[in-house]
CSV table of all heavy atoms in Angstrom, one decimal:
chain,number,residue,atom,x,y,z
E,21,LYS,N,71.7,1.2,56.9
E,21,LYS,CA,71.2,2.4,56.2
E,21,LYS,C,69.8,2.3,55.9
E,21,LYS,O,69.2,1.2,55.9
E,21,LYS,CB,72.1,2.7,55.0
E,21,LYS,CG,71.9,1.7,53.9
E,21,LYS,CD,72.8,2.1,52.7
E,21,LYS,CE,72.3,1.5,51.4
E,21,LYS,NZ,71.2,2.1,50.7
E,22,PRO,N,69.1,3.5,55.6
E,22,PRO,CA,67.7,3.4,55.3
E,22,PRO,C,67.5,2.6,54.0
E,22,PRO,O,68.4,2.5,53.1
E,22,PRO,CB,67.3,4.9,55.1
E,22,PRO,CG,68.5,5.6,55.1
E,22,PRO,CD,69.6,4.8,55.6
E,23,ASP,N,66.3,2.2,53.7
E,23,ASP,CA,66.0,1.4,52.6
E,23,ASP,C,65.6,2.3,51.4
E,23,ASP,O,64.5,2.4,50.9
E,23,ASP,CB,64.8,0.5,52.9
E,23,ASP,CG,64.6,-0.5,51.7
E,23,ASP,OD1,65.5,-0.8,50.9
E,23,ASP,OD2,63.5,-1.1,51.7
E,24,ILE,N,66.7,3.1,51.0
E,24,ILE,CA,66.5,4.1,49.9
E,24,ILE,C,67.7,3.9,49.0
E,24,ILE,O,68.7,3.2,49.4
E,24,ILE,CB,66.4,5.5,50.4
E,24,ILE,CG1,67.7,5.9,51.2
E,24,ILE,CG2,65.2,5.7,51.2
E,24,ILE,CD1,67.8,7.4,51.5
E,25,VAL,N,67.7,4.5,47.8
E,25,VAL,CA,68.8,4.5,46.9
E,25,VAL,C,69.5,5.9,47.0
E,25,VAL,O,68.8,6.9,46.7
E,25,VAL,CB,68.4,4.2,45.5
E,25,VAL,CG1,69.6,4.3,44.5
E,25,VAL,CG2,67.7,2.9,45.4
E,26,PHE,N,70.7,5.9,47.5
E,26,PHE,CA,71.4,7.2,47.6
E,26,PHE,C,71.9,7.6,46.2
E,26,PHE,O,72.1,6.8,45.3
E,26,PHE,CB,72.6,7.0,48.5
E,26,PHE,CG,72.2,7.0,50.0
E,26,PHE,CD1,72.3,5.8,50.7
E,26,PHE,CD2,71.8,8.1,50.6
E,26,PHE,CE1,72.0,5.8,52.0
E,26,PHE,CE2,71.5,8.1,51.9
E,26,PHE,CZ,71.5,6.9,52.6
E,27,PHE,N,72.2,8.9,46.0
E,27,PHE,CA,72.7,9.5,44.8
E,27,PHE,C,74.0,8.7,44.5
E,27,PHE,O,74.9,8.6,45.4
E,27,PHE,CB,73.0,11.0,44.9
E,27,PHE,CG,73.4,11.6,43.6
E,27,PHE,CD1,72.5,11.9,42.6
E,27,PHE,CD2,74.7,11.8,43.4
E,27,PHE,CE1,72.9,12.5,41.4
E,27,PHE,CE2,75.1,12.4,42.2
E,27,PHE,CZ,74.2,12.7,41.2
E,28,GLY,N,74.2,8.2,43.3
E,28,GLY,CA,75.4,7.5,42.9
E,28,GLY,C,75.3,6.0,43.0
E,28,GLY,O,76.1,5.3,42.4
E,29,GLU,N,74.3,5.5,43.7
E,29,GLU,CA,74.0,4.1,43.8
E,29,GLU,C,73.2,3.6,42.6
E,29,GLU,O,72.4,4.4,42.1
E,29,GLU,CB,73.3,3.7,45.1
E,29,GLU,CG,74.1,3.8,46.4
E,29,GLU,CD,73.4,3.4,47.6
E,29,GLU,OE1,72.1,3.5,47.6
E,29,GLU,OE2,74.0,2.9,48.5
E,30,SER,N,73.3,2.4,42.3
E,30,SER,CA,72.5,1.8,41.2
E,30,SER,C,71.1,1.6,41.7
E,30,SER,O,70.9,1.2,42.8
E,30,SER,CB,73.1,0.5,40.7
E,30,SER,OG,74.3,0.7,40.2
E,31,LEU,N,70.1,1.8,40.8
E,31,LEU,CA,68.7,1.5,41.1
E,31,LEU,C,68.6,0.0,41.1
E,31,LEU,O,69.3,-0.7,40.4
E,31,LEU,CB,67.8,2.1,40.1
E,31,LEU,CG,67.7,3.6,40.1
E,31,LEU,CD1,67.0,4.1,38.9
E,31,LEU,CD2,67.0,4.1,41.3
E,32,PRO,N,67.7,-0.6,41.8
E,32,PRO,CA,67.5,-2.0,41.8
E,32,PRO,C,67.0,-2.5,40.4
E,32,PRO,O,66.4,-1.7,39.7
E,32,PRO,CB,66.4,-2.3,42.8
E,32,PRO,CG,65.8,-1.0,43.2
E,32,PRO,CD,66.8,0.1,42.8
E,33,ALA,N,67.4,-3.7,40.0
E,33,ALA,CA,67.0,-4.2,38.7
E,33,ALA,C,65.5,-4.2,38.5
E,33,ALA,O,65.0,-4.0,37.4
E,33,ALA,CB,67.5,-5.6,38.6
E,34,ARG,N,64.8,-4.3,39.6
E,34,ARG,CA,63.3,-4.2,39.5
E,34,ARG,C,62.8,-2.9,38.9
E,34,ARG,O,61.7,-2.9,38.3
E,34,ARG,CB,62.7,-4.4,40.9
E,34,ARG,CG,61.3,-4.6,41.0
E,34,ARG,CD,60.8,-5.0,42.4
E,34,ARG,NE,59.4,-4.8,42.5
E,34,ARG,CZ,58.8,-3.7,43.0
E,34,ARG,NH1,59.6,-2.7,43.4
E,34,ARG,NH2,57.5,-3.7,43.1
E,35,PHE,N,63.6,-1.8,39.0
E,35,PHE,CA,63.1,-0.5,38.5
E,35,PHE,C,62.9,-0.6,37.0
E,35,PHE,O,61.8,-0.2,36.5
E,35,PHE,CB,64.2,0.5,38.8
E,35,PHE,CG,63.8,1.9,38.2
E,35,PHE,CD1,63.0,2.7,38.9
E,35,PHE,CD2,64.4,2.3,37.0
E,35,PHE,CE1,62.6,3.9,38.3
E,35,PHE,CE2,64.0,3.5,36.4
E,35,PHE,CZ,63.1,4.3,37.1
E,36,SER,N,63.8,-1.2,36.2
E,36,SER,CA,63.6,-1.2,34.8
E,36,SER,C,62.6,-2.2,34.4
E,36,SER,O,61.9,-1.9,33.4
E,36,SER,CB,65.0,-1.4,34.1
E,36,SER,OG,65.7,-2.3,34.7
E,52,MET,N,57.9,12.1,43.5
E,52,MET,CA,58.2,12.9,44.7
E,52,MET,C,59.7,12.8,45.1
E,52,MET,O,60.3,11.8,44.9
E,52,MET,CB,57.3,12.4,45.9
E,52,MET,CG,55.8,12.6,45.6
E,52,MET,SD,54.8,11.8,46.8
E,52,MET,CE,55.1,12.9,48.2
E,53,GLY,N,60.2,13.8,45.6
E,53,GLY,CA,61.5,13.8,46.2
E,53,GLY,C,62.6,14.0,45.2
E,53,GLY,O,63.8,13.6,45.5
E,54,THR,N,62.3,14.6,44.1
E,54,THR,CA,63.4,14.8,43.1
E,54,THR,C,63.1,16.1,42.3
E,54,THR,O,61.9,16.5,42.2
E,54,THR,CB,63.5,13.6,42.1
E,54,THR,OG1,64.4,13.9,41.1
E,54,THR,CG2,62.2,13.3,41.4
E,58,VAL,N,67.7,14.6,37.5
E,58,VAL,CA,68.5,13.4,37.6
E,58,VAL,C,67.9,12.3,36.8
E,58,VAL,O,66.7,12.0,36.9
E,58,VAL,CB,68.7,13.0,39.1
E,58,VAL,CG1,69.5,11.7,39.2
E,58,VAL,CG2,69.4,14.1,39.9
E,59,GLN,N,68.7,11.7,36.0
E,59,GLN,CA,68.3,10.5,35.2
E,59,GLN,C,68.2,9.3,36.1
E,59,GLN,O,69.0,9.2,37.1
E,59,GLN,CB,69.2,10.2,34.0
E,59,GLN,CG,69.3,11.3,33.0
E,59,GLN,CD,68.0,11.6,32.3
E,59,GLN,OE1,67.1,10.7,32.3
E,59,GLN,NE2,67.8,12.7,31.7
E,60,PRO,N,67.4,8.3,35.9
E,60,PRO,CA,66.5,8.2,34.7
E,60,PRO,C,65.1,8.9,34.9
E,60,PRO,O,64.3,9.0,34.0
E,60,PRO,CB,66.3,6.7,34.6
E,60,PRO,CG,66.3,6.2,36.0
E,60,PRO,CD,67.3,7.1,36.7
E,61,PHE,N,64.9,9.5,36.1
E,61,PHE,CA,63.6,10.1,36.3
E,61,PHE,C,63.3,11.3,35.4
E,61,PHE,O,62.1,11.5,35.1
E,61,PHE,CB,63.5,10.5,37.8
E,61,PHE,CG,63.9,9.4,38.7
E,61,PHE,CD1,65.1,9.3,39.3
E,61,PHE,CD2,62.9,8.3,38.9
E,61,PHE,CE1,65.4,8.2,40.1
E,61,PHE,CE2,63.3,7.2,39.7
E,61,PHE,CZ,64.5,7.2,40.3
Side-chain angles (χ1 to χ4, degrees):
K21 68 178 201 82
D23 191 18
I24 60 170
V25 177
F26 285 107
F27 186 81
E29 287 184 332
S30 298
L31 291 169
R34 187 172 166 266
F35 177 82
S36 40
M52 299 171 66
T54 175
V58 176
Q59 296 297 342
F61 306 101

